[in-house]
Amino acid sequence: MARWQTGARDRLEQAALALFLEQGFSETTVPQIAERAGLTTRTFFRHFADKREVLFAGDDAVPALFHQLLTRTPAQVLPVPLILSQLGPFAESVFGAHRDILNVRTQIIRTDQGLTERKFQKMAAIKASVTQGFVERGSDPLSAMLAADLAMTVMETALTRWLAPDNTATLSAVVAEVLASLRQLVSVPELTPAP
Amino acid sequence: MARWQTGARDRLEQAALALFLEQGFSETTVPQIAERAGLTTRTFFRHFADKREVLFAGDDAVPALFHQLLTRTPAQVLPVPLILSQLGPFAESVFGAHRDILNVRTQIIRTDQGLTERKFQKMAAIKASVTQGFVERGSDPLSAMLAADLAMTVMETALTRWLAPDNTATLSAVVAEVLASLRQLVSVPELTPAP
């Protein structure tokens, strides 16, 4: 009976993802999800605004987490060194334990145009928060936006590679690989001003 | 009668954009566009697959143009210096003469979720082509993808700033500003290996 001891929210999430995979996102209803979880639709709506939100659970916390990372890193650390040094541990702490669920979510989001659009919106919100964080650290708005874009690219590229079916490396290792590539890309001697 | 001497395609584009602005994209039909242009729907469909394509006219050529830029630049130029040196003239030659039409297009695309999604798809196609171009220049796939992302970010940021209502600078000047910011962002002495 162990599975009944997990929280209602987790059970609803698992039931929803299973049904989305089995019969498709658009064919799945909230009553079906509640029934599969052994709960009522009323309980469902206490945890999620709609069935779509099950696929983005936790995402709304990411902008604030990223923003925290930027405010707690010493102000003298420049944007690119900050990305190179902090993004690995950050990714691991936020996403590292959720590979299976992220994998299923990504699969389902890909099947539906409305979900894909919603994902873009969530990512735009994260990018806006990261940009704001760099501004608060003293970057001008344009540099802040470019730095945020760089951070988002590294994160997105790392997550995509980590979730690839043939990948066996940890998220930390994948982020390290992407960051090494970024470091090499931007380490162009001719660009560096004389000390 | 001078306006009747312009090409049918241009007349259809102008009629479509005017109608999209006046009455909304979804409310506008192909027969209305043709009528406004003084042409037949048959002529419309010789030039555009559907009314949506009017908003992306010319975009399908961009991946190939970008790819050409990458193949004609000497192979020893590294990705970031290539972006810094080539993106300004490229942007000017591709977009510089079309500010008014790009402005109207951007406004209309923003009003419709399907159009926004389509724009993302077009940009993904461009990014794939740029990535492929960097691979053909000898970059590994990961570096190529990061470099392509950087190029796309610069281009998109510059176009957005150039099209902003309060902007009076030329596209070349705006790209130069964005590139100066990128150059400064990645010019971090601690990242550069000793020569």
Side-chain angles (χ1 to χ4, degrees):
Chain A
M1 304 295 273
R3 76 189 186 95
W4 296 105
Q5 289 160 28
T6 60
R9 190 183 168 90
D10 284 350
R11 276 157 57 194
L12 287 163
E13 183 177 12
Q14 282 161 23
L17 294 179
L19 286 166
F20 294 162
L21 281 180
E22 285 166 30
Q23 60 187 39
F25 174 76
S26 58
E27 285 71 29
T28 300
T29 64
V30 169
Q32 288 172 344
I33 296 168
E35 193 192 345
R36 173 72 66 102
L39 295 164
T40 62
T41 57
R42 195 180 158 136
T43 304
F44 178 92
F45 288 117
R46 268 207 297 275
H47 290 282
F48 301 100
D50 54 36
K51 66 173 180 172
R52 213 168 54 161
E53 278 306 307
V54 179
L55 291 165
F56 299 100
D59 279 19
D60 292 336
V62 175
L65 289 170
F66 221 116
H67 195 263
Q68 269 171 35
L69 169 74
L70 294 181
T71 49
R72 74 164 186 254
T73 306
Q76 68 272 25
V77 180
L78 292 172
V80 170
L82 187 151
I83 290 167
L84 291 172
S85 65
Q86 303 297 318
L87 225 49
F90 177 77
E92 184 62 43
S93 72
V94 176
F95 303 109
H98 307 293
R99 183 165 194 248
D100 291 345
I101 279 189
L102 288 171
N103 230 331
V104 173
R105 279 193 197 181
T106 306
Q107 273 178 57
I108 296 162
I109 290 170
R110 226 180 260 141
T111 63
D112 186 281
Q113 185 164 316
L115 294 174
T116 304
E117 173 64 22
R118 187 158 188 86
K119 196 190 159 193
F120 281 126
Q121 286 169 5
K122 297 271 183 184
M123 287 177 57
I126 296 176
K127 189 175 154 186
S129 167
V130 177
T131 302
Q132 180 56 26
F134 279 119
V135 167
E136 286 168 22
R137 292 173 59 80
S139 291
D140 66 90
L142 178 52
S143 302
M145 212 226 69
L146 292 173
D149 211 278
L150 215 54
M152 297 294 290
T153 297
V154 169
M155 191 62 94
E156 207 192 337
T157 307
L159 286 172
T160 304
R161 296 187 143 227
W162 179 53
L163 295 175
D166 58 345
N167 170 57
T168 55
T170 64
L171 180 55
S172 298
V174 177
V175 175
E177 187 194 6
V178 177
L179 288 173
S181 186
L182 175 66
R183 181 186 288 267
Q184 206 197 348
L185 200 65
V186 301
S187 299
V188 181
E190 65 199 86
L191 298 179
T192 309
Chain B
M1 303 296 273
R3 76 190 187 92
W4 296 105
Q5 289 163 28
T6 59
R9 190 184 167 90
D10 284 349
R11 276 159 55 196
L12 287 163
E13 183 177 11
Q14 282 161 24
L17 294 179
L19 286 166
F20 294 161
L21 282 181
E22 285 166 29
Q23 60 188 37
F25 174 76
S26 57
E27 284 70 30
T28 300
T29 64
V30 170
Q32 288 172 342
I33 297 169
E35 194 192 344
R36 173 74 65 102
L39 296 164
T40 62
T41 58
R42 197 180 156 136
T43 303
F44 179 92
F45 288 117
R46 268 208 297 276
H47 290 282
F48 301 100
D50 54 36
K51 67 174 180 172
R52 213 167 54 161
E53 278 306 307
V54 179
L55 291 165
F56 299 100
D59 279 17
D60 292 336
V62 175
L65 289 170
F66 221 117
H67 195 262
Q68 270 172 35
L69 169 74
L70 294 181
T71 49
R72 75 167 185 251
T73 307
Q76 68 271 24
V77 180
L78 292 172
V80 171
L82 186 150
I83 290 167
L84 290 172
S85 64
Q86 302 298 317
L87 225 50
F90 177 78
E92 186 62 43
S93 73
V94 175
F95 303 109
H98 307 293
R99 183 165 194 246
D100 290 345
I101 278 188
L102 288 171
N103 230 332
V104 174
R105 278 194 198 179
T106 306
Q107 275 179 56
I108 296 162
I109 290 171
R110 226 179 259 142
T111 63
D112 186 282
Q113 184 163 317
L115 294 173
T116 304
E117 173 64 23
R118 188 158 187 85
K119 196 190 160 192
F120 280 126
Q121 286 168 5
K122 296 271 182 185
M123 286 178 57
I126 296 176
K127 189 174 154 186
S129 168
V130 177
T131 302
Q132 178 58 24
F134 279 119
V135 167
E136 286 167 23
R137 291 174 60 81
S139 292
D140 65 273
L142 178 54
S143 302
M145 211 226 70
L146 292 173
D149 211 278
L150 215 55
M152 297 293 291
T153 296
V154 170
M155 191 62 95
E156 207 191 339
T157 307
L159 286 173
T160 303
R161 296 186 143 228
W162 179 53
L163 294 175
D166 58 344
N167 170 57
T168 55
T170 64
L171 180 55
S172 297
V174 177
V175 175
E177 189 195 5
V178 177
L179 288 173
S181 186
L182 175 66
R183 180 186 289 266
Q184 206 198 348
L185 200 65
V186 302
S187 298
V188 181
E190 65 199 87
L191 298 179
T192 310

